[in-house]
Amino acid sequence: MKHFYCTGILLSGLLVCTFFSQAQVSFETTTMSIKINAKGHLESLQDKKGREYLATDEPSPLLAVMANGKLLLPDGMEWRKSSSTILLHYPEWKGKASIRVTNRKDYIVFELTRIDDNASVEYVVWGPYPTVIRKRIGETVGTVWDDSFGIGLQALNIKTLGGYPTNDNDVEPSFDIFSESSGLKDISPDKKVLYRGQTAKLTAFGSVIQAYCRNRNKTKIIANWGHDKYVVPAYPEDGGVVGTKIALWGAPQDQLLSVIEKIELGEGLPHPVIDGIWAKRSPAATSSYLIMGFGEKTLGEALDLTKKAGLKYLYHPGPFETWGHFKLNAKEFPDNWQSMKRCVDIAARQGVDLGVHTLSSFITTNDPFVTPLPDKRLAKVGSSTIVSSIDEKATVVTIQSPEFFNQMKNNNLKTVMLGSELIRYRDVSATEPWQLLDCVRGAFGTKIQSHQAGDTISKLMDHGYKVFLPDMALQNEIASNIAALFNATGLRQISFDGLEGSWSTGMGQYARQLFVKKWYDLLKPELKGHVINDASGPGHYFWHIFTRMNWGEPWYAGFRESQTQYRLKNQEYYYRNLMPRMLGWFKLGSVTSMEDLEWLLARAAGFDAGFGLSASLDDLKKNGRLNELLNTISEWESARLSGAFNAVQKEALQDINKEFHLAKADGNAWQLYPVRTATIQHLQKIKQPGEPIYSENNFNNPFEGQPLRFIAYITGESSSAAWDHPSIEINNYARLEVPFSVSKGQWLVCDGKAIRLFDEHWKIVSEKTTLQIPVIIKGDNKILIDGAVTGEQSPVVKIEFRALGDGERITAIEK
């Protein structure tokens, strides 16, 4: 039913009436229906079975408007069928918004085509749309889902930002939703979850999905990146809030990714492929890679190692002398980009693609954007004027206002731009006259100049890496420079580390996504189908461009300890956000053991996740088992990428407390062995003469009887520690007398056939192949470890016993 309202104004004796209708309107796709009520709020989100997913007790405005400092919800809706337009009324504001609706087969498109009093509008919000789903919250992709169905929101242009305008600088919150203050601790009692963004967000009643668009027609001063006052210039280029556009959809759980692909293709969103397959589906998206420095002279050796490991990507961790113009290291690449092109071509002929690591929009102080003539587009916190003229020798600069200059948090270079001179200062005076004190003139190779009273002086934005950052115009040029590098050389992998540098524009996630899109749009068409890219920070629109994310650093501990829980949390994040999985970076070096490597490779197989192996040529050459390690990587990765592991095996392989061994069988087949381990300590003991010094313990072998296997080493601070006359006795009858002593830094290994002593780099020191190796029985085995432990500060011998179960044959899936 339609209801007509008449509002009258008497003009020349005539009553002028304006009629609008209030009625419910419905839209249907192949998998769900959406209803909008007479007030312009969502009334229903149902699947085809009639199950309701809208949290009906919560506000659900189709479009909220922030105008004149107040957030307004619609209170009237008119459906104009002839033009497929919803007209929303905001009585308190006395304004209206026109939204064009396009009913696609699999999703509904909503686009803001007109809004009243545009100048007073600060931003508009799509939603938040409340749902009852709380099982999986895809905070980045904007999809919430359970085991049967999912509801999603997709921004259809880059100015429509996923999430909610929580912060004026549009930096997406990254937070633990299960913190003490959230009130949601009960939702996941077994583990906390790291959230990145809020296009979808967990709530007490379920979840919300949301997006927004900000009007950037005015210059503002906001809090940004550690500064209470930060000038954000107007950015009218995107046309304001008119044109913001979303897709709203729902689908069964197994069709979620398919619908997003249809949205990408149907609405002209970025849709990168790898060798013809959409990147979000391609097995190559999780390709592991070797991270190693190289140059024209050392490329051959680096390629040999990459190929022996069965990897397709060789990634340079830091080839640049400067960031901004991206000049390559002259020693490694004497002809700059042309040298890199020659490396790319050589690698391609051997089936390997090359990549490089960048710090995105960070600008080094030796880059031409800084020296000798600084670019006027370097990002500025804010500006003032100088009160009095200064000559070339002045070390104090008097300024009109200190407000942008005395903010010392995240002020790492303490640099101002005055004319074409950069000046560093120690501090700002505490009282008037406001002065920059102890100035260093002509900083970073710029020219010292005299300056006149009234000249503009600007505080430059910087970063803790001792770099400067760009404004929006300069950011575009830097992104263009990276695209030019890729187009000129044919590089095919990149990680946009440091994307937070885009915050220097004051536009947060919007600027970050503009940076990557600029690069992507400028790539040659033939590269867009091949370049793998990831980044330090994800984003809702960016989801369509990046191939994957890959977090986890190797610098803090060994394979098993360095950020392990963080890496595991990331796997859940990738899963709920419909992203290819990666495990992060690990350090492959001179002391890497086979056991640690297989621990990593088992996790990779379990999560179907790739990884990066950070190494140096010189360090790897020291590892005596390098060829074995590389061959092991090749076999595990071949099995993983061929789909050889089934779901049950993957679940077991995900358990970080379980170990496995993989051995090549025949053809495209392997044997997967479960491994039971137990670590027993043998301590330094001071006893009476003749008193035994052995350590007694137990090892439970759940498998059939088999020869003894173990790895032993000495821990502690003493560099002179040793284990003399070592022996191991099994079940009070079978004794293995080790024919050599073990020193700190050495590895004693028994593989069931022989016993070998390795140095710290896994090079054989001694070996014995004719010993009678004891057998451990199925079940409990009594272990006696003997031999004197010597050295200062109480060294400890650790022995890891290992038992192998029956191998399970796995085979590559035919494609």
Side-chain angles (χ1 to χ4, degrees):
M1 176 182 293
K2 291 184 178 180
H3 304 276
F4 295 95
Y5 291 79
C6 178
T7 60
I9 303 175
L10 189 62
L11 296 176
S12 302
L14 296 177
L15 182 65
V16 179
C17 293
T18 302
F19 294 91
F20 63 92
S21 64
Q22 289 186 311
Q24 177 179 281
V25 61
S26 300
F27 307 99
E28 289 197 5
T29 70
T30 55
T31 51
M32 76 171 296
S33 64
I34 301 172
K35 293 180 182 178
I36 300 172
N37 67 20
K39 288 190 174 184
H41 291 239
L42 269 62
E43 187 170 275
S44 175
L45 290 171
Q46 289 189 2
D47 63 17
K48 288 297 184 177
K49 297 178 181 179
R51 179 182 172 187
E52 183 61 65
Y53 292 93
L54 188 73
T56 52
D57 292 335
E58 299 297 321
S60 54
L62 178 60
L63 187 78
V65 176
M66 173 62 79
N68 299 317
K70 189 171 184 179
L71 185 64
L72 307 166
L73 306 186
D75 196 36
M77 186 274 293
E78 178 184 356
W79 169 239
R80 295 181 174 177
K81 186 174 181 180
S82 60
S83 59
S84 298
T85 298
I86 288 174
L87 190 65
L88 297 178
H89 297 255
Y90 303 83
E92 187 176 352
W93 176 45
K94 298 181 181 178
K96 297 182 290 295
S98 297
I99 298 172
R100 181 187 299 124
V101 183
T102 306
N103 202 150
R104 307 289 194 198
K105 181 180 177 182
D106 298 289
Y107 54 94
I108 311 296
V109 175
F110 298 96
E111 180 181 6
L112 179 63
T113 57
R114 185 180 180 278
I115 194 164
D116 290 344
D117 195 15
N118 183 59
S120 71
V121 175
E122 298 170 41
Y123 56 76
V124 297
V125 182
W126 295 101
Y129 306 134
T131 88
V132 297
I133 298 173
R134 66 192 308 176
K135 185 166 187 177
R136 295 186 181 92
I137 312 300
E139 69 270 37
T140 300
V141 71
T143 304
V144 296
W145 50 294
D146 56 25
D147 292 335
S148 59
F149 202 77
I151 305 288
L153 177 153
Q154 284 291 310
L156 298 184
N157 50 37
I158 198 165
K159 72 177 181 179
T160 305
L161 304 180
Y164 194 86
T166 304
N167 302 312
D168 287 338
N169 62 0
D170 292 327
V171 172
E172 285 184 297
S174 179
F175 53 91
D176 186 347
I177 193 67
F178 304 107
S179 64
E180 290 296 321
S181 61
S182 70
L184 299 171
K185 301 186 297 299
D186 62 306
I187 293 176
S188 182
D190 59 326
K191 62 180 179 178
K192 291 176 182 271
V193 179
L194 181 68
Y195 270 60
R196 295 182 173 94
Q198 52 179 349
T199 308
K201 184 178 178 180
L202 188 66
T203 66
F205 57 79
S207 58
V208 294
I209 50 178
Q210 55 197 356
Y212 70 101
C213 183
R214 191 180 292 278
N215 195 347
R216 305 180 189 276
N217 60 340
K218 300 174 184 176
T219 295
K220 299 181 296 182
I221 297 179
I222 64 171
N224 183 46
W225 213 358
H227 297 80
D228 293 331
K229 294 183 178 181
Y230 196 103
V231 176
V232 182
Y235 187 71
E237 289 90 332
D238 64 8
V241 297
V242 172
T244 181
K245 188 177 182 182
I246 65 162
L248 192 58
W249 58 280
Q253 183 267 337
D254 59 353
Q255 297 178 31
L256 299 178
L257 205 55
S258 295
V259 173
I260 297 177
E261 184 175 20
K262 291 174 182 177
I263 292 172
E264 283 190 358
L265 293 171
E267 304 303 320
L269 295 174
H271 186 73
V273 298
I274 303 174
D275 300 325
I277 302 174
W278 185 32
K280 294 300 185 292
R281 296 188 187 280
S282 172
T286 65
S287 293
S288 300
Y289 53 102
L290 183 63
I291 306 164
M292 178 183 289
F294 60 85
E296 285 202 86
K297 293 181 179 179
T298 57
L299 177 65
E301 290 180 285
L303 287 175
D304 286 344
L305 294 171
T306 306
K307 292 186 293 182
K308 286 180 180 178
L311 303 178
K312 191 180 184 301
Y313 291 89
L314 172 61
Y315 187 74
H316 200 305
F320 302 109
E321 283 185 6
T322 76
W323 299 329
H325 284 80
F326 301 98
K327 182 182 183 299
L328 292 166
N329 184 291
K331 183 178 180 181
E332 295 178 338
F333 305 97
D335 293 331
N336 200 22
W337 291 7
Q338 190 58 38
S339 290
M340 180 63 81
K341 184 180 189 310
R342 288 195 290 268
C343 290
V344 168
D345 292 342
I346 291 169
R349 289 194 289 270
Q350 299 184 41
V352 176
D353 289 333
L354 301 187
V356 293
H357 196 77
T358 71
L359 267 293
S360 301
S361 61
F362 287 17
I363 305 170
T364 50
T365 57
N366 63 336
D367 190 83
F369 285 135
V370 176
T371 184
L373 189 66
D375 197 292
K376 298 298 182 184
R377 299 169 297 172
L378 292 173
K380 301 170 182 67
V381 177
S383 302
S384 184
T385 57
I386 62 173
V387 172
S388 55
S389 300
I390 60 172
D391 61 18
E392 290 88 343
K393 296 181 180 180
T395 59
V396 172
V397 180
T398 304
I399 58 177
Q400 184 68 38
S401 171
E403 63 177 345
F404 299 116
F405 302 83
N406 59 7
Q407 302 179 103
M408 294 303 173
K409 187 177 179 181
N410 201 18
N411 186 354
N412 308 282
L413 293 174
K414 293 182 178 178
T415 302
V416 298
M417 180 185 291
L418 182 54
S420 58
E421 180 185 0
L422 297 184
I423 302 172
R424 303 182 76 177
Y425 62 100
R426 177 181 60 82
D427 206 348
V428 181
S429 61
T431 59
E432 292 188 78
W434 304 114
Q435 294 179 323
L436 305 183
L437 305 175
D438 295 338
C439 293
V440 177
R441 304 291 300 278
F444 308 112
T446 59
K447 185 179 179 180
I448 301 175
Q449 301 169 328
S450 61
H451 303 279
Q452 303 303 310
D455 286 352
T456 298
I457 184 169
S458 301
K459 170 65 183 72
L460 295 184
M461 181 62 194
D462 58 41
H463 184 273
Y465 282 19
K466 302 295 185 180
V467 295
F468 292 114
L469 298 162
D471 71 3
M472 196 63 235
L474 184 55
Q475 173 177 291
N476 283 337
E477 185 169 336
I478 293 173
S480 300
N481 288 345
I482 300 177
L485 168 66
F486 272 65
N487 289 335
T489 62
L491 286 162
R492 293 196 174 184
Q493 185 182 348
I494 188 171
S495 181
F496 289 104
D497 200 359
L499 269 181
E500 66 271 18
S502 292
W503 298 350
S504 62
T505 64
M507 297 196 297
Q509 63 156 318
Y510 185 33
R512 181 181 63 191
Q513 298 182 163
L514 284 168
F515 182 86
V516 181
K517 187 173 188 297
K518 183 73 171 179
W519 165 80
Y520 179 78
D521 288 345
L522 291 174
L523 285 181
K524 291 179 179 178
E526 59 268 26
L527 279 180
K528 287 183 180 179
H530 296 282
V531 174
I532 285 179
N533 75 93
D534 57 46
S536 59
H540 177 65
Y541 187 92
F542 187 18
W543 186 94
H544 302 288
I545 297 176
F546 65 67
T547 312
R548 64 200 184 192
M549 291 288 140
N550 190 30
W551 295 296
E553 297 182 2
W555 323 121
Y556 313 110
F559 274 36
R560 304 170 191 241
E561 298 87 20
S562 186
Q563 297 189 327
T564 302
Q565 291 303 315
Y566 175 67
R567 298 176 194 270
L568 294 178
K569 285 184 179 181
N570 284 335
Q571 303 315 304
E572 170 58 27
Y573 165 78
Y574 301 142
Y575 179 63
R576 68 178 183 260
N577 282 283
L578 310 175
M579 293 162 54
R581 292 181 173 187
M582 297 293 287
L583 285 171
W585 288 18
F586 296 83
K587 182 174 172 54
L588 180 67
S590 62
V591 299
T592 301
S593 69
M594 183 65 70
E595 290 73 24
D596 280 350
L597 182 63
E598 285 209 289
W599 180 90
L600 160 63
L601 294 168
R603 308 296 79 87
F607 289 108
D608 195 12
F611 49 83
L613 292 172
S614 178
S616 76
L617 197 58
D618 291 340
D619 199 33
L620 283 185
K621 287 179 179 179
K622 296 175 184 176
N623 195 310
R625 302 183 72 180
L626 178 59
N627 286 332
E628 292 179 70
L629 295 174
L630 297 177
N631 182 67
T632 299
I633 295 168
S634 180
E635 294 300 340
W636 274 94
E637 281 293 275
S638 294
R640 178 178 75 86
L641 293 173
S642 69
F645 300 100
N646 62 38
V648 174
Q649 292 162 347
K650 286 181 179 180
E651 184 176 359
L653 289 162
Q654 290 177 14
D655 188 338
I656 63 173
N657 297 310
K658 293 181 178 179
E659 309 228 3
F660 298 85
H661 171 64
L662 188 74
K664 181 69 174 175
D666 54 77
N668 292 323
W670 300 264
Q671 289 290 119
L672 178 65
Y673 298 92
V675 180
R676 171 64 64 88
T677 67
T679 299
I680 297 173
Q681 295 186 354
H682 180 48
L683 306 177
Q684 186 182 49
K685 298 178 182 178
I686 299 176
K687 300 284 188 176
Q688 297 292 331
E691 184 180 358
I693 60 172
Y694 62 76
S695 301
E696 183 176 338
N697 218 305
N698 184 72
F699 175 50
N700 182 272
N701 169 30
F703 311 122
E704 296 301 319
Q706 57 190 277
L708 179 67
R709 295 179 177 88
F710 67 84
I711 303 167
Y713 55 97
I714 300 172
T715 65
E717 298 299 323
S718 175
S719 60
S720 61
W723 182 22
D724 295 324
H725 309 295
S727 67
I728 298 176
E729 185 174 285
I730 306 297
N731 297 323
N732 291 330
Y733 83 97
R735 187 176 180 87
L736 174 65
E737 299 280 356
V738 179
F740 25 78
S741 296
V742 181
S743 299
K744 175 71 182 296
Q746 295 181 324
W747 304 88
L748 183 67
V749 178
C750 179
D751 63 359
K753 300 176 182 177
I755 190 164
R756 295 179 176 86
L757 183 67
F758 296 89
D759 69 10
E760 64 176 329
H761 300 302
W762 294 101
K763 293 180 180 177
I764 293 179
V765 176
S766 301
E767 64 179 332
K768 190 74 172 178
T769 59
T770 58
L771 289 172
Q772 183 74 28
I773 305 297
V775 171
I776 56 173
I777 63 172
K778 183 175 183 178
D780 288 336
N781 291 266
K782 184 177 181 180
I783 307 288
L784 298 181
I785 304 168
D786 212 340
V789 182
T790 62
E792 299 177 351
Q793 299 176 299
S794 302
V796 175
V797 176
K798 289 190 175 181
I799 304 104
E800 180 184 286
F801 292 92
R802 301 173 65 84
L804 269 66
D806 291 337
E808 184 176 2
R809 185 180 174 87
I810 63 173
T811 307
I813 296 176
E814 295 291 336
K815 296 181 180 180

